[in-house]
Amino acid sequence: MTARPSRQCCYDSLKWIPVIFILALVTWSYYAYVVQMCILTIDSVPKKGKEFQIVNIIFYWYRGTMIYLCIYHPLLILFLWSYYRTMFQPTVGPPKEFYISDIEGQQIKSAQTIDERRAILVRISRQANLSLLTRHFDGSIRYCFVCQCIKPDRAHHCSICEKCVLRYDHHCPWTNSCVSYGNYKFFVLFLCWAWIFCTYVAATSLEYFIQFWKIVSNIEKNGDNIVPSSGKFHLFFVFFVSIMFGISISSLFFYHLYLTGKNRTTIESFRAPIFESGPQKEGFNLGWKRNFQEIFGTKFFKAIIPIPTTGDGVHYQVNSILLGGLEQPTTNPIRSNDNDNNIISPFIRSDADILPFE
């Protein structure tokens, strides 16, 4: 009985290794940049005589510490703040009205045909007055057999978190969290500030990187056995690491900027959401400005810091040009009437095509 919880605890602990690696790297880079580059390199100030030494040191301190660090620390704080919010923002699942009873769940599991399953889901959705625009690939209401709930629009089941998540994008091992409705803004800001932070560190440490190579070149040229100090190796590697991570993060950051501008999740970019009229990749595209406002809000200051500014994760506006008059009301979304087109799409596939969950 205790073997499984022990294995699960071990597995949960291993998932934090990428996070620990990132935090260890940031800690080391802080030492390399602040201590080695901005403080200890004061010893390298040229000595032009006693009367100029104090002036040179003050000038170097102001240029190398006051200016560099006054920019470095705000960027570091915004980066770590966004990273923290991405990791520890609670994952938001479907509201309680989307979950069904055990009896209804058993009825769905025991349904013999797609039509029977569809009819049960239609009845449950109408009784609960649920807002639903997207469909399963067979045209029926999207349902999760694992969580025993009807999936809200853009929600998906995360196999790692083992639950359904609103506006699911992907599960990120570097944050050990589900990137979804609750923390998507924080995730994009984390990428943004991480990229800016790495770019800034690389740009400001470039001159020390060049100095390091000049020293190495002179040693090789003169045939000396002198080894550069450890501090210079720190400066060399902080430049190299910041360039490497800056390039890696930039590809992911600009890709998610593209997805935000199109109002898509990573899943929707590979598998278009299905509406009553069929698959439509641009179904939630409201124009780049409104798409960004849906994630970051309308206020610039609030948009660039990791604080919540978005809606409820259940109701979404759709592209009225592509989807006609299809619109999801914010209240009283589905009314009971005799027209089943409010609930399901007319196109059907065979029984072999239906999946228990997606």
Side-chain angles (χ1 to χ4, degrees), residues 185 189 193 293 296-305 307 309:
K185 174 190 174 182
L189 287 177
W193 291 120
Q293 288 177 346
F296 297 99
T298 57
K299 305 296 183 181
F300 176 76
F301 179 74
K302 291 183 178 180
I304 62 174
I305 59 177
I307 59 174
T309 53

Side-chain angles (χ1 to χ4, degrees), residues 250-270:
S250 65
S251 59
L252 190 59
F253 171 53
F254 288 113
Y255 175 65
H256 277 278
L257 281 185
Y258 167 78
L259 292 181
T260 302
K262 291 288 186 178
N263 205 343
R264 296 178 194 162
T265 63
T266 299
I267 285 183
E268 291 168 353
S269 67
F270 292 99

Side-chain angles (χ1 to χ4, degrees), residues 72-93:
Y72 176 88
H73 283 98
L75 292 179
L76 178 64
I77 290 170
L78 287 168
F79 159 54
L80 291 178
W81 186 10
S82 302
Y83 191 39
Y84 173 83
R85 293 301 302 269
T86 304
M87 284 191 291
F88 296 109
Q89 181 71 14
T91 303
V92 183

Side-chain angles (χ1 to χ4, degrees), residues 134-184:
T134 56
R135 303 289 179 262
H136 192 50
F137 67 81
D138 70 328
S140 63
I141 291 173
R142 301 191 312 129
Y143 175 75
C144 179
F145 282 78
V146 177
C147 298
Q148 200 168 289
C149 74
I150 294 174
K151 296 180 182 179
D153 294 329
R154 314 185 82 173
H156 292 273
H157 183 87
C158 177
S159 58
I160 299 177
C161 295
E162 298 182 342
K163 60 182 176 181
C164 285
V165 182
L166 294 181
R167 200 186 186 278
Y168 178 79
D169 189 274
H170 69 285
H171 191 96
C172 180
W174 296 105
T175 62
N176 191 27
S177 64
C178 249
V179 178
S180 56
Y181 155 74
N183 65 352
Y184 186 72

Side-chain angles (χ1 to χ4, degrees), residues 224-261:
D224 297 331
N225 294 324
I226 300 172
V227 179
S229 65
S230 61
K232 289 184 173 59
F233 281 105
H234 282 293
L235 299 181
F236 167 76
F237 282 110
V238 78
F239 173 81
F240 177 77
V241 170
S242 61
I243 286 290
M244 182 181 65
F245 276 87
I247 294 173
S248 302
I249 291 170
S250 65
S251 59
L252 190 59
F253 171 53
F254 288 113
Y255 175 65
H256 277 278
L257 281 185
Y258 167 78
L259 292 181
T260 302

